[in-house]
Amino acid sequence: MALTLFEKIWNTHLVSEESAESPGILFIDFHLLNEVTSPQAFKQLAKRMIPIHRPSGALAIIDHSTPTLPAGIDGRRPYVTRDAENQVITMERNSHEQGIRFLGWEDPLRGIVHVVGPELGLTLPGMTIVCGDSHTSTHGAFGALAFGIGTSEVAQVLATQCLLQRQPKTMRVLVSGSLRRGVSAKDLALQVVTQLGAGGAAGYVIEFAGEVIAELSMEERMTLCNMSIECGARAGIIAPDNVTFEWLRNCPEAPNNIEHLVSAWVELKTDNQAIFDAEILVDANVIEPMVTWGVTPDTAVAISQCSPEMDLDDPRRVSLDYMGFKSGAAMKGQRIDYVFIGSCTNARLPDLRIAAEIMRGRKIPPHVTLLVVPGSESVRRAAEAEGLDEIFLSAGGEWRLAGCSMCLGMNGDLVPAGKRVVSTSNRNFIGRQGTGARTVLASPATAAASAIAGVLADPREFYS
Amino acid sequence: MSTPFKVLQSKFILLPQCDIDTDQIVPARFMATTSEEGLAHAFFYDARHDEAGQKKSDHVLNVKDIADHQILVAAANFGCGSSREHAVWALKDFGFRAVLTPKAADIFKSNAINNGVLVIEIHQAFYELLSQNQSSSMTIDLEKQTISLLGAGVSTFQVDSFARRCLLMGTDRLGYLLESLPAIRAFEAARRLNSTE
């Protein structure tokens, strides 16, 4: 029987199949933990005296509550609250007590979980991967089935290395044509999310396929899969190919017998006759740099376009008003106050290179605050070795330590109420980047161009 | 283990916005906790409070007595975005026991079941009916899978049979999985044998 890539992974991880009465039991290969969504899980297991089933199947990293400014001369980290510091201490203690590998402050490999796993070569094709974080979908770029879970499920995976699951439906997003200069995987992701709607893929696992996907780098594939959750998808996945294998050959912690594994991984693709429950087509040729006008990620329009025309009683008015935009107003040229280049969506080395290329030798205007936060400490060192930090600093921006930072503002990196921020992150929800903050989602190129212009800008005008 | 959910008779509170995300339900700054308790305060904090931190007197969640309104009715795609279970902990701590929406986000649904909160995906037409009868009381009978709305008769609803059984009996999903550990160990052993490593 012809199978989709998703079905191949799913079938080989079922401990028991689902029935009308009971869900299936799905085995999980790799469990990522962070300090925010795991403490209650450890606490629950300790209270019930349930041991951790397979500590080697997990990796714990601190990224959400961590300050991005360095420790002071007294050696203390500038935590936003004692509670935030307590989460970090708790994560370290739980990992240590349970024999789970922990990447803490002293570890040079620390970073955002979804940047670090792939960077080290721990994210592999054909795996099932979960984390108490919705952007776990990022790892699907490697042909892994990866999805976010809640804290009760974190406890379930710690205790049994399994989850109770009903099989999701499958959807193929087929992308044809090619992305034009100045148009990135982020713009493609915003186009897909807008085409499907914020809940349009709920209940589905998306497979991204087509000639454009084959041409994308691993970093670009991660950006695209990362955003799958923004249209409600359970996961996003891309079949592994030579681009994937070449990435893994260069990873410090990829398995030793990688060539042997590659010979099996080439089979991890959707069979020709396989049937998807749904399919949509996307024409990459017509995609422009995208920006959002509303408070859900499915409100993207081309930078050359206007916000939608709407009547006074249009329910979408609430979002437009929150963002401080007028009905039918040109997006390009709208004033901005903050720019955030970071997050598990867009803070890998090529993202920073693209932003730096635009900002080189230029300065941001005084009314703009620019924060550049690398996705991992490895990315930070690589960027510094190339002098990218100097470009951002000379432009008038800030260069920080790795972490989730302003994407969700848990660590105190916040946008003030009423201020508009162009952000390379994934969510423009009400209050996401700070109470009353107004988020415009965009690519690193658009964010960099806007930082320089002091208004929403088209990055294509910055290339010679 | 949570309290079994059998029959719930209550009025409801309606939140008519589509795509309510879990960042709105519990803003990120309230997640810096290592406990799942005491999150009622954080529930829709930014919407319920003014800039000075005072409760807004006109917000529906501040106005109504939650003891009489244990059902939340929300527009489609409720609970989208972040996987934070804090959203369900806060919703439950605030006093809600059931959520009715034309569509609930996948992770939110799992989190709800794990905390004994019933999520029912209702037809858009039934949602419209509820939005036109906001002062009505309803009775949700999970055993019979019916909702009776005062003055509007009885309708049936669909819910995952396992979720229903867990809620009715207060079954602990972790306990259910732990019972499967022998099968899980056998699976792991077979995989090691077949492994190409």
Side-chain angles (χ1 to χ4, degrees):
Chain A
M1 191 182 132
L3 297 172
T4 63
L5 166 58
F6 157 75
E7 287 161 338
K8 289 181 183 181
I9 301 174
W10 182 267
N11 292 346
T12 52
H13 286 80
L14 277 181
V15 173
S16 69
E17 296 203 19
E18 70 178 77
S19 66
E21 293 76 36
S22 309
I25 296 179
L26 186 73
F27 187 78
I28 303 301
D29 293 309
F30 185 31
H31 186 194
L32 288 152
L33 295 156
N34 66 47
E35 75 278 21
V36 178
T37 57
S38 69
Q40 294 88 347
F42 282 104
K43 200 182 272 184
Q44 191 193 132
L45 296 181
K47 200 166 127 190
R48 295 170 60 176
M49 292 188 290
I50 299 168
I52 308 295
H53 180 65
R54 206 161 68 98
S56 64
L59 172 67
I61 315 184
I62 48 169
D63 57 6
H64 282 64
S65 292
T66 50
T68 52
L69 286 167
I73 46 168
D74 58 356
R76 285 191 73 83
R77 303 256 167 206
Y79 285 99
V80 61
T81 57
R82 294 189 80 134
D83 286 342
E85 182 167 18
N86 185 41
Q87 282 192 323
V88 169
I89 294 167
T90 305
M91 172 94 280
E92 180 163 21
R93 191 188 60 231
N94 283 332
S95 309
H96 182 72
E97 284 174 3
Q98 301 300 338
I100 292 168
R101 182 180 178 191
F102 172 68
L103 305 184
W105 282 118
E106 307 312 319
D107 202 304
L109 301 175
R110 194 190 63 81
I112 306 175
V113 289
H114 311 311
V115 178
V116 173
E119 216 165 54
L120 296 182
L122 298 174
T123 295
L124 298 175
M127 273 185 163
T128 47
I129 302 176
V130 295
C131 176
D133 187 289
S134 59
H135 291 110
T136 309
S137 57
T138 311
H139 305 263
F142 289 80
L145 174 62
F147 54 93
I149 55 176
T151 299
S152 297
E153 292 176 316
V154 169
Q156 290 160 18
V157 178
L158 285 172
T160 67
Q161 206 63 30
C162 287
L163 279 173
L164 294 168
Q165 292 281 300
R166 293 268 181 205
Q167 183 166 348
K169 291 180 280 186
T170 56
M171 177 188 293
R172 180 157 57 186
V173 173
L174 208 50
V175 190
S176 63
S178 61
L179 292 172
R180 292 181 297 180
R181 181 161 163 79
V183 180
S184 70
K186 178 60 161 290
D187 301 303
L188 170 60
L190 287 168
Q191 171 64 34
V192 169
V193 169
T194 299
Q195 216 167 310
L196 280 165
Y204 288 90
V205 168
I206 293 177
E207 180 176 341
F208 295 101
E211 51 199 1
V212 173
I213 307 302
E215 294 297 316
L216 295 180
S217 69
M218 284 319 297
E219 290 91 344
E220 292 170 315
R221 293 178 190 187
M222 283 189 260
T223 299
L224 183 59
C225 288
N226 173 280
M227 295 282 289
S228 324
I229 181 69
E230 308 313 335
C231 47
R234 198 79 183 94
I237 192 167
I238 293 173
D241 59 11
N242 284 330
V243 179
T244 323
F245 308 145
E246 200 46 40
W247 168 286
L248 291 168
R249 285 184 183 109
N250 292 303
C251 287
E253 299 189 25
N256 293 327
N257 59 342
I258 189 142
E259 297 312 325
H260 187 71
L261 292 171
V262 165
S263 62
W265 288 338
V266 293
E267 304 299 326
L268 285 173
K269 57 185 180 201
T270 292
D271 298 330
N272 283 336
Q273 304 300 317
I275 295 164
F276 289 84
D277 296 305
E279 181 161 69
I280 68 157
L281 305 176
V282 177
D283 180 3
N285 290 326
V286 300
I287 301 176
E288 290 186 51
M290 307 289 278
V291 289
T292 54
W293 58 264
V295 295
T296 44
D298 62 346
T299 55
V301 291
I303 182 73
S304 61
Q305 301 290 306
C306 297
S307 62
E309 299 265 2
M310 50 183 92
D311 298 331
L312 285 172
D313 58 354
D314 192 309
R316 296 174 300 169
R317 273 273 175 186
V318 182
S319 350
L320 201 66
D321 290 348
Y322 179 85
M323 289 301 298
F325 289 135
K326 301 241 178 328
S327 158
M331 294 305 289
K332 196 176 132 186
Q334 295 280 352
R335 185 187 159 102
I336 60 157
D337 310 287
Y338 278 69
V339 172
F340 172 59
I341 299 175
S343 87
C344 56
T345 313
N346 274 132
R348 296 176 183 85
L349 191 58
D351 298 319
L352 302 183
R353 282 182 184 147
I354 286 167
E357 184 189 349
I358 288 175
M359 301 186 88
R360 186 187 300 274
R362 293 181 166 123
K363 291 210 178 297
I364 58 173
H367 77 272
V368 173
T369 301
L370 165 67
L371 204 65
V372 187
V373 184
S376 71
E377 287 297 292
S378 305
V379 168
R380 184 169 69 86
R381 284 189 302 276
E384 288 176 359
E386 292 181 14
L388 304 186
D389 57 327
E390 288 301 326
I391 294 172
F392 298 126
L393 290 166
S394 303
E398 293 183 47
W399 175 249
R400 298 288 187 89
L401 301 178
C404 302
S405 180
M406 201 179 261
C407 172
L408 81 166
M410 254 202 89
N411 71 337
D413 294 342
L414 292 166
V415 178
K419 298 292 184 189
R420 197 179 282 146
V421 53
V422 181
S423 181
T424 68
S425 59
N426 36 59
R427 289 182 175 143
N428 49 352
F429 296 156
I430 291 171
R432 167 85 175 176
Q433 298 191 279
T435 306
R438 296 162 157 172
T439 303
V440 175
L441 298 176
S443 70
T446 303
S450 302
I452 297 299
V455 293
L456 288 182
D458 188 335
R460 294 170 297 188
E461 293 170 13
F462 284 72
Y463 295 121
S464 47
Chain B
M1 183 72 75
S2 46
T3 321
F5 188 116
K6 291 193 163 61
V7 176
L8 174 62
Q9 184 179 8
S10 175
K11 291 184 183 176
F12 63 90
I13 289 178
L14 182 94
L15 297 177
Q17 298 81 19
C18 283
D19 305 317
I20 290 179
D21 57 80
T22 52
D23 274 83
Q24 290 183 65
I25 302 174
V26 173
R29 62 187 182 280
F30 295 105
M31 287 201 295
T33 169
T34 56
S35 168
E36 60 262 48
E37 283 155 16
L39 279 162
H41 171 69
F43 190 60
F44 282 98
Y45 186 93
D46 288 346
R48 289 197 300 121
H49 296 80
D50 63 19
E51 282 160 27
Q54 296 298 310
K55 272 191 189 172
K56 289 182 191 166
S57 57
D58 59 345
H59 194 282
V60 63
L61 291 168
N62 291 336
V63 172
K64 306 231 170 156
D65 180 2
I66 297 302
D68 297 336
H69 298 79
Q70 296 179 45
I71 299 165
L72 185 67
V73 176
N77 203 25
F78 184 77
C80 63
S82 161
S83 61
R84 60 189 71 169
E85 197 160 320
H86 307 67
V88 173
W89 294 331
L91 180 136
K92 197 177 166 185
D93 199 26
F94 199 79
F96 289 113
R97 296 185 58 205
V99 177
L100 273 58
T101 173
K103 188 193 271 179
D106 287 340
I107 308 176
F108 181 86
K109 266 192 285 193
S110 301
N111 290 342
I113 296 166
N114 278 316
N115 288 279
V117 172
L118 173 64
V119 174
I120 304 176
E121 292 187 309
I122 53 176
H123 289 292
Q124 187 65 31
F126 190 65
Y127 170 81
E128 306 293 344
L129 176 73
L130 291 176
S131 59
Q132 286 152 25
N133 295 278
Q134 289 190 41
S135 54
S136 297
S137 179
M138 70 169 97
T139 303
I140 301 172
D141 187 326
L142 183 56
E143 178 83 59
K144 294 183 188 149
Q145 292 181 240
T146 56
I147 304 176
S148 22
L149 188 66
L150 211 59
V154 180
S155 25
T156 56
F157 64 86
Q158 295 300 313
V159 64
D160 178 79
S161 56
F162 185 71
R164 174 169 166 272
R165 199 167 79 218
C166 287
L167 285 162
L168 280 172
M169 301 169 68
T171 302
D172 166 35
R173 289 161 71 91
L174 173 56
Y176 181 90
L177 266 172
L178 286 170
E179 283 171 21
S180 304
L181 268 177
I184 294 167
R185 289 205 182 92
F187 177 88
E188 285 177 305
R191 265 184 121 221
R192 256 193 301 279
L193 286 177
N194 296 330
S195 170
T196 47
E197 287 175 41

